[in-house]
Amino acid sequence: MDERHWIQAIQKGDKHYLQDIAGKYYDDIFRFCAFQTGGREDAYDLTQETFLRFIRYVEGYHDRNLKGYLLTIAMNVCRNYLNEKGREAERRFCAGRSSDDSFGGEREPGPAADVPDEWRRDLPEQSCPERQVIEADVHHRLMQALKQLPEIQREAILLHYLYEMKYREIETMTGVSVSTVKSRVRQGMEKLQNLLRREDFLD
């Protein structure tokens, strides 16, 4: 049964196929949320919220691109989360909290903590612990660099390069023109490359 029939069955009351949709797209949504937030715990919560919202509004679903639709929900969920996190940081700062605990006193996770096991499935078999540490560090540094980009540029880069979405598809998801999407990707990549060069990540 294809996705269109899954949706039709769900809209008729057969919620069984929600598990099939979640099973097919969970990793994609989790990776997107992890790149947006930089942490597994937040990504887990936001992924759950994404699928809960999909279930809530599935009756009105008429899109032909289910993956794009779920990513659109995830994008909005992450935006809301990051905006609220920023407001919370501002409130704490204004209340006289030190910068060290402006985000709840959480410590910056180490390299390995930022790399979900699911992300390693497409990597070649690791030959030694040293190789694992190096690859975990690569992911960590990339995620830290991405976190420094403006949210709209980070979104555009993730959608275009990580999920191989066309500019026209991103236009539909974000509500901005193709030229704006291209500009966000180009400017974001320039900033990302500069950030990585500064850390000697790129030659």
Side-chain angles (χ1 to χ4, degrees):
M1 183 178 286
D2 61 24
E3 292 179 356
R4 184 168 56 87
H5 290 100
W6 285 353
I7 295 296
Q8 289 175 348
I10 292 169
Q11 290 174 334
K12 291 178 181 178
D14 189 350
K15 305 301 183 182
H16 169 77
Y17 293 104
L18 288 168
Q19 293 298 323
D20 295 286
I21 292 173
K24 184 173 183 179
Y25 291 115
Y26 184 92
D27 286 353
D28 287 321
I29 302 304
F30 181 87
R31 276 193 292 268
F32 180 83
C33 293
F35 269 117
Q36 286 286 61
T37 64
R40 292 190 66 171
E41 291 302 319
D42 289 339
Y44 174 80
D45 292 340
L46 296 175
T47 300
Q48 301 303 312
E49 177 63 21
T50 296
F51 283 101
L52 286 173
R53 290 195 185 188
F54 172 72
I55 293 170
R56 194 178 307 149
Y57 301 115
V58 68
E59 298 299 329
Y61 173 82
H62 299 293
D63 204 302
R64 294 184 179 181
N65 182 354
L66 180 55
K67 182 177 178 180
Y69 184 77
L70 289 169
L71 282 169
T72 300
I73 297 175
M75 181 176 64
N76 291 326
V77 167
C78 287
R79 283 180 178 178
N80 292 340
Y81 167 80
L82 292 171
N83 288 338
E84 179 56 34
K85 191 172 183 179
R87 287 192 292 269
E88 178 64 20
E90 184 178 359
R91 285 195 295 268
R92 293 186 178 185
F93 178 79
C94 292
R97 298 291 296 273
S98 69
S99 59
D100 288 339
D101 62 2
S102 60
F103 285 95
E106 297 179 359
R107 294 181 135 187
E108 190 69 23
D114 274 338
V115 186
D117 294 337
E118 293 86 347
W119 295 14
R120 304 176 187 272
R121 292 186 303 180
D122 296 329
L123 296 175
E125 193 69 27
Q126 305 303 313
S127 57
C128 61
E130 290 81 2
R131 179 68 179 274
Q132 295 180 20
V133 171
I134 291 171
E135 290 185 341
D137 183 59
V138 168
H139 281 280
H140 174 71
R141 293 166 72 180
L142 178 58
M143 290 182 69
Q144 293 306 307
L146 280 167
K147 284 171 64 177
Q148 296 181 58
L149 298 181
E151 182 181 336
I152 56 177
Q153 292 176 0
R154 183 172 63 246
E155 281 179 357
I157 288 173
L158 291 175
L159 293 172
H160 185 60
Y161 288 108
L162 183 61
Y163 295 100
E164 300 180 341
M165 304 196 79
K166 296 180 173 60
Y167 292 125
R168 186 68 66 184
E169 293 175 313
I170 301 175
E171 174 192 45
T172 300
M173 293 175 63
T174 59
V176 300
S177 67
V178 167
S179 61
T180 299
V181 173
K182 289 181 179 180
S183 177
R184 289 178 178 179
V185 171
R186 184 183 67 256
Q187 293 175 7
M189 286 302 295
E190 289 174 355
K191 292 177 184 177
L192 184 61
Q193 289 168 356
N194 288 334
L195 287 167
L196 294 174
R197 284 196 183 96
R198 243 184 279 167
E199 297 199 13
D200 298 323
F201 187 77
L202 297 175
D203 293 331

